[in-house]
Structures are given as C-alpha cells and as structure tokens.
Amino acid sequence: MNVEELVRDSLREQASGIAPPRSGFADRILAVRRRRRARTLAAVAGTTALVVAAAVGVPTLLDAGPDDGRGRGVHVVGGEVPAHDVQSHVDQSPPRDRIAVGDQVLAAYYTSEKVRQPNRDEIVERTYSVLNQETGRYEVDERWSFLAVAPGMRTAAVLERELPAPRIGLLDLRTGEMTRWIPLAQGVGGLAFSPDGSKLVATTYDKNPDRAYWSHKVEVNGAYEPWRVPCRTGFAVVDVATGESDWHALPAFSEGGGNFGSGENLRFNNDGTLLYEPINMNPGVVYRDFTGKKVAVPAEEAYVDLRFAPAGLSPDGKLVAGPFAGGVKTTATQVLDPRTGKRVAKLRGQELLVWVDNERLIAWDIAPGGGEHENRLVLVGIGSEKTVSLSGARTPKDHSPKRWEPVFARG
C-alpha cells in the first residue's frame, strides 16, 4: 500500500465523525508531514500524518537522482556553503546566545504549550524569548501572546496575553520598553509587518484563534479532542508611524466546503502591495488587495508558498524557495524558477525558512543520526552539498512544550 492509499484509508475511517476533506487535502497532509511545524491544520491532519510517518519511515540523507529533463532530480555539487559571517551555537537548543548569518538574525523564538481549561477546552499558549541586543542573549518575555519583528530589529509589534487583544503594542527591541499602544475597535489575534516595516496587517477575531472547543470535539484515534472553530472577522492595515488603520470584514475562508480551522492570519506579499492569505485547500493561497478583494496572483509570485516554504522569493526575485523534495528515507529541499516552477537546484534540508542572500538560506534539517523531529537550524547553499549547523537539535517529540519556533528578521 502506498502513501496516498494510506492517507485515503485514514480519512475514510474518520469520515463519520467529521466533515469530508476538501479537494487536494491528501496532498496537503503529506506536505504537513514533511514540514513538521508546530502549527496544526486540523485533528485529521495530525492523525493522518502519524499514519504516514509509520508507513514511510524516517528521512535522513540527501537524495539526488539524475535529472529527468524536466528539472527533477538535479544534483547539488560543490563543497562547503560559505560560512564566513555565521554566528552559531550548535550545542544550544533552545538557543541561549545570538544566532545569525550575515544580516539575517534569529530575533526571537517561541515555545508552545496546550493548556487544558476547566471545561476541557484547550488553548495553545506561546512563550517568546527575545534577543537582548546588548548582551546577545535570548531572554524570556512572558508578557506577549504574539510577537512580530520589524525589519531592522528596532521594533516589535506585540499582543497581550488575552486574545483577541484590544490594542497593538510597539516594543523597543533595544531597551525592552513599550513605546506606544495602537487601539483597534476589533480584537486582534495575529500580526505581520510589511517588507519595509511601515505597515502592519492585524488579523481580527471574535474568539481566541488559539482556542479549541470541547463543545466542537472530534474523534481522533478512538478518542475525542477539542476542535477549533472559524472565528476570523476581518483585518486592519495599520500605518505604524501614525497608528491610523483601515478595517475590513473578512470571515474565515469557507469556499468549497466546511472549515478545518479558525482561519489564517494574513500577511503581506513580497513587495508589500497585496495581502497573502494561506488556505488549507487548493490552490493553497488567495491574494487580496487592502480592501480584502481577491486579486490575481502576481506572475513573479506564482510559485510562492509561504506555508510550506516560508523563505519565499530570493532578495533579487530570481528564485523561489520550493517545498520538500526528499524521498522515503531522505531529506532534501529545492529552489524553483519563480515564473515557471521548474526546479533550479536541489539542496539539503527539510524546510527552507529564510533567505540570507541570493545563494544561501537558513533551513530546518535533521541532526545526524536523529529522528525526523530532531531537527536543527542549518545554513544551506545553492551549489553546495554540505551544510553548516547553526543550532542544536530540537526535542524528538513533535509537540513537546520545549519545541521552539524561530522568528527571523534582517538586522
């Protein structure tokens, strides 16, 4: 039985307890398995990922087969990836001291924990550790439920613990002090800066988007788990300098069938002129203008997928980070031509997180001899078949409270 058959069987067995999956759902489940992020699309996705993991084993090595003439199986060649400007701490996980490559800095990271409520609801709570730019060490800051870092690493936008939050805070990352509060009429659950740092997109909700409700429980592996509900109300584009904002209604995406989550936070596209909304069905993303109206995908971003390849376009716009490209027992990533989607090169790693320059990226990859969850930050390069480790490996348990997720910014 192949992987797709296992996915279909797993979904079929659970069909009596949940809404049917939408078009392309099995493909996206396989992608979720490969990227291994802490964020959960749905309980079904988690269950199916376990089935797939048991069936296909643990990826360990780069798999580079011969080119078939269509850009697949391209070998990476060369030696070490250039590492003259690297600050790494391979013995630290989570990191305690500054990690950076060039001007791409690990500005913060967070851990997540599911907190059971008295009524059996669950809330995923994040705890951030933020880089102290004077000491070069990461310090826990428990004040915030959500934190986004602006380019330049002078300012972070933050939300207080109770979500949805009635205001956005602007935090001075050099002093750790609040500089200003921006009130909003609608409660905020997520934030993202524009590429130039001049704007924020604040996604608004009428319930905590990180809460799963026992009243909407679903059956998973013979037991019931609380389920998230659609609760997005819209978004506001906020001018950071003036605090002025323009709110527009935009409920959780529901076209094509039922919902498998509470909606996704919006973010800006590559040049900051549009909004990017990831969705958990084909085509995987919707581009919108600042009023919320759907617009055509920009030609140069046709193959950008920030959910499964967060690095997106290279700084010069000539390459785009692609999805997982490994095999049954191998790990590999790829970069693509942004207009054609054709593979340009195959690299090491599991997931491409951020571009350092036009030839190097920071990625997740498994530690030597480790299981698929024991991944650490590495530096990979186009034309280089070796990696440079940047951090220690994360805990082998997929949803451990100590697993950390990076927040990068250009310093």
Side-chain angles (χ1 to χ4, degrees):
M1 180 177 290
N2 61 30
V3 172
E4 292 185 356
E5 290 170 337
L6 283 169
V7 172
R8 287 195 296 269
D9 287 351
S10 177
L11 292 172
R12 191 177 298 115
E13 289 170 4
Q14 300 171 62
S16 60
I18 59 173
R22 292 177 280 196
S23 173
F25 189 67
D27 290 340
R28 305 198 73 77
I29 294 301
L30 293 176
V32 168
R33 174 198 171 267
R34 288 163 180 160
R35 56 195 281 274
R36 294 302 179 193
R37 302 283 286 187
R39 183 173 58 248
T40 302
L41 288 177
V44 176
T47 303
T48 306
L50 292 176
V51 174
V52 173
V56 304
V58 177
T60 56
L61 300 170
L62 177 67
D63 177 27
D67 191 349
D68 66 356
R70 290 177 290 176
R72 294 184 291 186
V74 179
H75 284 268
V76 289
V77 295
E80 295 278 2
V81 57
H84 59 279
D85 52 359
V86 169
Q87 286 183 292
S88 62
H89 295 283
V90 299
D91 59 336
Q92 298 179 11
S93 182
R96 298 184 300 275
D97 300 294
R98 186 178 190 266
I99 290 177
V101 183
D103 64 355
Q104 195 65 254
V105 183
L106 180 65
Y109 63 86
Y110 65 88
T111 58
S112 300
E113 182 177 8
K114 289 183 179 180
V115 179
R116 179 67 66 93
Q117 306 301 300
N119 62 354
R120 303 184 73 177
D121 287 1
E122 289 181 350
I123 299 178
V124 175
E125 294 186 353
R126 289 175 291 273
T127 300
Y128 285 87
S129 294
V130 183
L131 179 65
N132 182 317
Q133 297 183 30
E134 290 189 2
T135 66
R137 294 179 66 87
Y138 296 97
E139 299 177 356
V140 175
D141 192 339
E142 296 184 340
R143 293 176 290 176
W144 318 121
S145 65
F146 199 98
L147 178 146
V149 179
M153 290 182 54
R154 297 170 62 92
T155 302
V158 295
L159 300 177
E160 293 169 284
R161 273 294 174 190
E162 294 296 322
L163 295 180
R167 60 184 184 172
I168 301 168
L170 296 180
L171 177 69
D172 188 325
L173 290 174
R174 296 163 298 178
T175 66
E177 301 295 328
M178 294 303 303
T179 60
R180 186 154 49 98
W181 292 99
I182 301 174
L184 288 183
Q186 296 79 22
V188 183
L191 298 167
F193 275 100
S194 62
D196 65 0
S198 66
K199 297 182 180 65
L200 280 166
V201 57
T203 307
T204 61
Y205 298 87
D206 59 13
K207 298 181 179 66
N208 185 342
D210 295 326
R211 189 177 192 119
Y213 296 85
W214 185 252
S215 59
H216 292 75
K217 61 184 178 293
V218 296
E219 187 175 359
V220 179
N221 287 341
Y224 284 98
E225 294 184 4
W227 188 263
R228 297 188 181 189
V229 299
C231 59
R232 189 177 68 193
T233 59
F235 68 93
V237 176
V238 182
D239 184 287
V240 175
T242 66
E244 296 179 357
S245 62
D246 187 17
W247 183 83
H248 297 275
L250 186 67
F253 191 89
S254 61
E255 298 177 25
N259 292 283
F260 285 89
S262 59
E264 286 283 349
N265 293 332
L266 302 175
R267 64 193 86 180
F268 289 92
N269 76 322
N270 187 66
D271 64 6
T273 60
L274 298 172
L275 298 176
Y276 181 104
E277 179 187 8
I279 59 175
N280 56 3
M281 61 176 288
N282 288 333
V285 63
V286 174
Y287 282 78
R288 299 184 184 275
D289 64 20
F290 287 177
T291 69
K293 180 182 177 181
K294 283 186 184 180
V295 297
V297 176
E300 63 275 15
E301 298 185 39
Y303 293 92
V304 169
D305 189 339
L306 299 183
R307 178 176 292 198
F308 301 118
L313 285 174
S314 59
D316 63 6
K318 295 181 179 180
L319 297 171
V320 63
F324 183 81
V328 172
K329 294 185 178 182
T330 63
T331 65
T333 54
Q334 57 188 322
V335 292
L336 314 173
D337 182 303
R339 290 182 176 269
T340 67
K342 182 177 179 180
R343 179 184 292 171
V344 174
K346 195 170 184 178
L347 297 79
R348 300 277 182 176
Q350 291 171 301
E351 180 184 27
L352 298 175
L353 299 175
V354 63
W355 289 90
V356 173
D357 48 42
N358 294 317
E359 296 182 350
R360 297 181 299 168
L361 303 98
I362 297 174
W364 283 122
D365 199 14
I366 60 172
E372 61 182 329
H373 301 301
E374 295 177 273
N375 41 18
R376 81 273 196 225
L377 294 178
V378 298
L379 179 64
V380 299
I382 298 171
S384 301
E385 58 184 9
K386 295 183 179 180
T387 64
V388 175
S389 297
L390 301 177
S391 75
R394 298 193 293 181
T395 169
K397 189 175 181 181
D398 194 13
H399 293 291
S400 165
K402 293 185 178 181
R403 280 180 73 80
W404 50 280
E405 294 291 336
V407 178
F408 289 101
R410 289 199 180 272

